[in-house]
Amino acid sequence: MQSLASEILRYKPYPSDLEFDDVCKALVGTYPFLRERGSETGYSAWKITLKQKMGNYRSNLRNMGCSELKINSLQGRSEGNAHPNMVKKARRAEVNFCPDYPAGENKESQEEDRVALITEIQKRNNDEQIKTKMEKTFPLRRQEILQDMPFIADFKSRWPALFSSREIDAEFRRITTTPLTSKFISKLDEYAPKLVKIFKKKGGKHGRKITEIMAVIDERDSIDTRRCCTLKALSVYLNEDPSNLIKEYVAEDFHDAQQQMAKTVIGIYAILHEADDENNDPEEVGVIIEGVTVLRDLRELSIAFPLLFGLMYVLNLNYPPDLKYTFEFFQKDVNDRPISLILQTKPRPRL
């Protein structure tokens, strides 16, 4: 059991109940003589024992200073309102959820690198130096997010170099080992024809709304328009409102738009040209979190989708309740789950 717990920890420190079932089922399947007589599953006692061994093994590693486990050492004790089972753990294929400091490094030495990084971003044509220092300070940044849970405005002032398309892509890859924008867009383009066929079968009020969204493609057909319409229609198909994700404002009402944007918890904003302007592309596209514009001057709306999704990982944010299924779809899409299986198994509650 101790060896088995050690092997499980190589994959994840907090396996789910179903994953314990899978391990114990494989155990008694490989060694039939271990199957319990009189047990409905044949491994009930083994499952209990394995859970205890995993708990003991985590405690030992936590005492040795493992960062991913150490952040949960005081949960439910120092904070009187915290539930003891509310542990901070990887939930979305996060391979490097809470990395340890490299050998010879500690919080103080990495804080010095963070201060030096702020100086580096003020220099021109200094992308390589910034990339190197961002890679080096990843453990400090990640532990700060998980332990301190800072406000976005405060965190942005401490780590201004993080809030760019290039660095969000890089940070997402550090956490998941998966490229973000390139894979998101390629998968979206791959699945778009299948999605359109599925959308056409949708009837009722949501079917009519999807038809209205997809009709925009006939007015101004471009790759960005097709991608955006597909993503908006997907939200409707999942019984969610795409206007909660994309906030569109007119340039001539920019003052009112700024006031509304300051109240936005999370979303993508698009500043549209004035009504008499023939240019159909947005004047400006950006991302807002907690009323703070964390990204601006993005090239296309379709690029803003993966970047907002990446920020959920980078900042360890929960998916918005009114867009939960849309973001979970993005997550499964990036993880290569078959598109048909996602749509067939996804629960779709009424609005």
Side-chain angles (χ1 to χ4, degrees):
M1 286 291 104
Q2 185 76 10
S3 299
L4 190 55
S6 174
E7 188 67 21
I8 292 173
L9 202 78
R10 290 178 55 193
Y11 297 91
K12 61 192 310 184
Y14 297 99
S16 66
D17 192 70
L18 290 176
E19 288 168 333
F20 275 114
D21 280 327
D22 290 339
V23 171
C24 293
K25 190 183 296 182
L27 176 66
V28 298
T30 305
Y31 304 103
F33 58 87
L34 295 178
R35 183 176 295 275
E36 302 164 3
R37 295 182 180 180
S39 171
E40 183 177 349
T41 61
Y43 53 76
S44 299
W46 290 116
K47 181 178 176 181
I48 294 171
T49 303
L50 184 58
K51 284 186 174 182
Q52 293 173 342
K53 288 293 183 183
M54 280 295 297
N56 294 336
Y57 200 61
R58 284 195 298 263
S59 296
N60 292 335
L61 290 178
R62 187 181 299 121
N63 295 333
M64 293 170 63
C66 178
S67 297
E68 188 169 353
L69 300 173
K70 192 175 180 181
I71 58 173
N72 294 315
S73 61
L74 299 179
Q75 284 290 308
R77 297 172 188 165
S78 61
E79 300 177 8
N81 296 327
H83 192 280
N85 291 328
M86 292 178 63
V87 296
K88 299 174 182 178
K89 57 185 178 181
R91 298 167 295 167
R92 303 172 292 208
E94 295 156 313
V95 178
N96 296 316
F97 178 68
C98 185
D100 294 315
Y101 293 116
E105 294 280 341
N106 54 33
K107 184 176 181 179
E108 288 72 24
S109 63
Q110 293 224 326
E111 178 64 21
E112 293 176 2
D113 291 328
R114 184 196 68 80
V115 175
L117 178 61
I118 294 178
T119 303
E120 294 294 337
I121 65 174
Q122 298 173 3
K123 302 176 183 178
R124 294 182 178 180
N125 302 321
N126 201 27
D127 291 344
E128 285 303 316
Q129 284 292 330
I130 293 173
K131 179 181 177 181
T132 301
K133 289 190 176 296
M134 286 292 288
E135 182 74 34
K136 186 177 181 181
T137 55
F138 173 59
L140 173 65
R141 190 163 55 253
R142 193 65 183 163
Q143 291 189 31
E144 183 176 318
I145 289 171
L146 297 175
Q147 294 182 17
D148 301 336
M149 295 182 289
F151 290 109
I152 299 302
D154 297 335
F155 188 75
K156 186 181 178 184
S157 66
R158 281 181 55 81
W159 299 96
L162 177 63
F163 294 91
S164 67
S165 303
R166 180 173 54 83
E167 285 304 327
I168 290 172
D169 271 334
E171 193 84 345
F172 183 85
R173 191 159 194 163
R174 294 180 192 114
I175 296 170
T176 65
T177 70
T178 301
L180 174 59
T181 304
S182 59
K183 186 166 186 178
F184 186 101
I185 295 299
S186 66
K187 290 296 179 182
L188 177 61
D189 291 342
E190 177 186 345
Y191 293 145
K194 299 178 184 178
L195 287 169
V196 171
K197 290 181 180 179
I198 294 172
F199 295 157
K200 289 181 179 179
K201 297 178 182 178
K202 186 73 171 177
K205 180 178 68 174
H206 292 97
R208 291 191 295 272
K209 191 170 183 179
I210 288 174
T211 302
E212 292 175 5
I213 291 173
M214 300 304 287
V216 176
I217 298 176
D218 297 330
E219 299 176 7
R220 53 177 192 274
D221 190 8
S222 67
I223 185 64
D224 184 55
T225 302
R226 289 196 295 271
R227 288 168 178 167
C228 288
C229 288
T230 301
L231 291 169
K232 288 180 181 180
L234 172 65
S235 291
V236 177
Y237 185 87
L238 296 174
N239 286 356
E240 294 177 339
D241 189 351
S243 64
N244 292 328
L245 180 61
I246 303 177
K247 315 288 184 180
E248 296 183 341
Y249 308 99
V250 180
E252 57 189 2
D253 300 326
F254 187 66
H255 178 70
D256 294 336
Q258 285 182 314
Q259 293 180 338
Q260 295 179 34
M261 288 162 61
K263 300 177 183 178
T264 301
V265 178
I266 190 167
I268 298 167
Y269 74 88
I271 306 297
L272 306 179
H273 291 274
E274 297 180 5
D276 57 350
D277 196 325
E278 295 181 357
N279 189 351
N280 291 318
D281 295 328
E283 188 174 305
E284 184 182 343
V285 176
V287 176
I288 302 172
I289 297 177
E290 294 181 2
V292 178
T293 302
V294 294
L295 291 173
R296 63 173 73 245
D297 299 326
L298 299 179
R299 301 189 309 275
E300 300 170 338
L301 262 173
S302 59
I303 297 298
F305 282 96
L307 292 175
L308 176 58
F309 175 70
L311 283 166
M312 295 291 178
Y313 282 73
V314 171
L315 302 174
N316 196 41
L317 302 174
N318 293 325
Y319 295 149
D322 52 2
L323 294 167
K324 175 183 177 183
Y325 298 114
T326 299
F327 278 99
E328 285 186 354
F329 182 94
F330 294 164
Q331 178 185 331
K332 303 297 191 301
D333 186 6
V334 173
N335 290 336
D336 285 330
R337 192 179 180 192
I339 201 81
S340 58
L341 184 60
I342 298 170
L343 291 175
Q344 289 171 8
T345 59
K346 179 60 62 185
R348 298 193 295 274
R350 295 184 181 275
L351 283 175

